[in-house]
Amino acid sequence: MAIHILINLAVALAACAVLFQLQSRHASFTVRVFTGLGLGIVLGAALQLIYGAGAPVVAGTNDYLDIVGTGYVKLLQMIIMPLIMVSIVAAVIKLKDANSLGKISALTIGTLMLTTLVAAAIGILMAKLFGLSAVGLTASAAEAARGEYLQGSLATAKAISLPSMLISFIPSNPFLDLTGARKTSTIAVVIFALFVGVAATGIAAKKPALFASFEQCVKVAHAIVMRMVTLVLRLTPYGVFALMAQVVSSSSYADILNLISFVLASYSALILMFGVHLAIIAGVGLNPLRYLRKIFPVLAFAFTSRTSAGSIPMSVQTQTRRLGTPEGIANFAASFGSTIGQNGCAGIYPAMLAVMIAPTVGVDPFTAAFILPLLAIVMIGSVGVAGVGGGATFAALIVLSAMDLPVALAGLLISIEPLIDMGRTALNVSGSITAGTLTSRVLGQTDMALFNSDAELNLDEAELAA
């Protein structure tokens, strides 16, 4: 078996060599990410075809691929908190205007919440069109175990309320939140950074020398952190390749076929919601096709990594260097979008699941008495959903428990959860970028020359292609 693993790793190494050659030849960032995605699919499919999804050889190979894939994700997670902290402090210092800060917050969060409401409505519509129902589904041992786990987690979900969630956003110990210890740590760091920035601007007139020193310190820290972001993002094609190979090689196609209706309904809803995002972009006077080309690398990473929070650095970089969005707005949108108003995980998924499960307890899910409360609960429940794998399950628990539906039935979808979660995460990130772009455009702060420049399609050509 060891020799087979070594052969597989040699093939993976050859694929990485191809990606390195593309970088050496200054191929665009998008091309390199797309190539990594394609090579990952090919390798994963080949491993499954030759050995089978559950083969020890595949598991052993994936353990080594995980060093690249998960290692890349961890590097991104490493720079999330420093990036948020210094970027938002720097942005507030530049604004020097509380009114602008309030407008940015209201527009960003409002867009995230409203698009989640639309996403939930689309999820309900797709569930109706595809005739989804959990009635008659048979649970396997793994799915039954998952159902028991969900049932055991119900108490935690029921204990959560909107007031308690809002209180959890307040950073009682900002240094703890800088470690990412809590599910709401991202927003807590945003709030702490806002306080630091506002406090700094408060001494600008009274103690200009001290303010100038602090401002210079923030500029230095910001430059160093952004350089770290650039260094990590250079590894994106390799990370995408490894993550995609793992997913494809270990997916059970038989399970996917058994629940193909839910898979098709889910991706139909996701694609339709992507269309809504592009319609919003077009509605504010931007070219949706150009916008889509520029955000593709971020979506590809989110799709393969299944982490909204891990996509924050790349999302900020894309918004500022490709879409012309000011850094403050980009950080707001990316940070809040990783935990509030996730269109895929907190919008489409729990709404479809509720509609699917309702008939098992004799409830007609297509009445106003069911749909209206469901939409309201989904929108409110979308506040504070963690931006990592499993956030959708947590959102589903909140919605199903609030609608008094059996949560254990959600375990029936365990076999196809990773496949659907990939699309959901990409939609979450698309929603946060849409919120940032809309906010920037409405406030008249978008750099249209940068947005319209094809030269920026390589994200940071001068650095990443080097």
Side-chain angles (χ1 to χ4, degrees):
M1 184 174 69
I3 187 65
H4 293 297
I5 293 177
L6 289 175
I7 293 172
N8 298 338
L9 294 178
V11 173
L13 191 60
C16 290
V18 171
L19 295 174
F20 182 76
Q21 283 297 318
L22 288 174
Q23 179 177 327
S24 300
R25 295 173 182 174
H26 305 296
S28 74
F29 187 67
T30 301
V31 167
R32 284 153 47 205
V33 170
F34 203 95
T35 302
L37 186 68
L39 290 174
I41 292 173
V42 171
L43 178 60
L47 290 175
Q48 180 157 162
L49 181 64
I50 296 171
Y51 304 107
V57 173
V58 173
T61 302
N62 283 340
D63 286 341
Y64 285 98
L65 289 175
D66 201 42
I67 297 174
V68 178
T70 301
Y72 172 67
V73 173
K74 285 184 176 295
L75 286 175
L76 283 171
Q77 292 172 335
M78 172 189 74
I79 59 177
I80 288 173
M81 294 307 181
L83 174 64
I84 293 172
M85 185 68 193
V86 299
S87 296
I88 290 184
V89 171
V92 174
I93 288 176
K94 290 179 183 177
L95 282 176
K96 298 179 182 179
D97 184 358
N99 289 331
S100 296
L101 198 59
K103 290 177 183 178
I104 291 172
S105 302
L107 279 170
T108 302
I109 296 174
T111 301
L112 290 169
M113 299 291 283
L114 288 176
T115 51
T116 299
L117 183 66
V118 174
I122 289 176
I124 294 171
L125 175 62
M126 289 299 106
K128 172 69 172 177
L129 293 178
F130 281 83
L132 297 183
S133 175
V135 176
L137 288 180
T138 303
S140 68
E143 291 160 347
R146 176 64 170 173
E148 291 178 7
Y149 167 77
L150 294 175
Q151 192 69 48
S153 303
L154 183 59
T156 302
K158 283 188 172 182
I160 294 175
S161 64
L162 183 59
S164 66
M165 183 63 71
L166 293 176
I167 290 173
S168 72
F169 292 160
I170 301 174
S172 59
N173 184 347
F175 299 101
L176 175 68
D177 286 317
L178 282 168
T179 68
R182 301 187 300 139
K183 288 185 176 180
T184 55
S185 284
T186 302
I187 295 181
V189 171
V190 171
I191 293 174
F192 178 64
L194 288 174
F195 268 92
V196 173
V198 171
T201 56
I203 67 170
K206 300 177 181 178
K207 300 179 180 179
L210 286 178
F211 176 77
S213 298
F214 179 76
E215 187 175 27
Q216 183 61 28
C217 180
V218 170
K219 286 181 179 178
V220 172
H222 183 263
I224 293 173
V225 169
M226 292 310 296
R227 181 58 184 169
M228 289 171 59
V229 170
T230 297
L231 292 174
V232 173
L233 290 186
R234 285 182 174 179
L235 303 175
T236 299
Y238 306 97
V240 168
F241 160 71
L243 291 166
M244 200 65 198
Q246 288 178 277
V247 170
V248 175
S249 65
S250 58
S251 295
S252 172
Y253 300 136
D255 289 337
I256 293 171
L257 290 175
N258 288 337
L259 291 169
I260 192 65
S261 293
F262 189 81
V263 174
L264 292 176
S266 296
Y267 272 90
S268 296
L270 293 170
I271 291 170
L272 191 55
M273 193 60 204
F274 272 119
V276 171
H277 291 168
L278 294 180
I280 292 173
I281 296 302
V284 294
L286 299 175
N287 185 320
L289 295 180
R290 181 183 296 276
Y291 169 84
L292 184 60
R293 288 200 307 272
K294 293 194 172 193
I295 69 170
F296 172 79
V298 192
L299 301 184
F301 169 71
F303 184 83
T304 52
S305 67
R306 296 169 53 200
T307 166
S308 300
S311 302
I312 290 176
M314 198 171 181
S315 174
V316 172
Q317 192 93 323
T318 297
Q319 290 184 68
T320 55
R321 298 196 181 188
R322 308 180 91 181
L323 301 178
T325 300
E327 197 165 306
I329 296 176
N331 273 282
F332 260 84
S335 303
F336 278 100
S338 70
T339 48
I340 288 180
Q342 295 185 354
N343 292 183
C345 290
I348 289 175
Y349 181 68
M352 290 183 70
L353 209 55
V355 170
M356 188 176 176
I357 292 175
T360 66
V361 291
V363 174
D364 182 359
F366 302 109
T367 63
F370 182 87
I371 291 176
L372 293 179
L374 175 60
L375 291 174
I377 290 169
V378 166
M379 186 171 69
I380 295 172
S382 70
V383 177
V385 175
V388 294
T393 300
F394 194 69
L397 281 175
I398 294 173
V399 172
L400 293 177
S401 63
M403 297 295 291
D404 200 24
L405 295 172
V407 298
L409 289 177
L412 293 170
L413 304 174
I414 183 176
S415 57
I416 58 170
E417 179 70 15
L419 176 64
I420 298 175
D421 194 41
M422 295 166 76
R424 289 193 310 238
T425 306
L427 184 66
N428 295 342
V429 175
S430 174
S432 67
I433 297 176
T434 299
T437 305
L438 172 68
T439 300
S440 175
R441 184 66 170 155
V442 169
L443 295 179
Q445 297 185 28
T446 301
D447 184 343
M448 290 306 298
L450 184 55
F451 181 90
N452 291 322
S453 172
D454 288 329
E456 285 300 319
L457 285 176
N458 296 340
L459 184 64
D460 46 357
E461 187 78 11
E463 294 177 302
L464 286 180

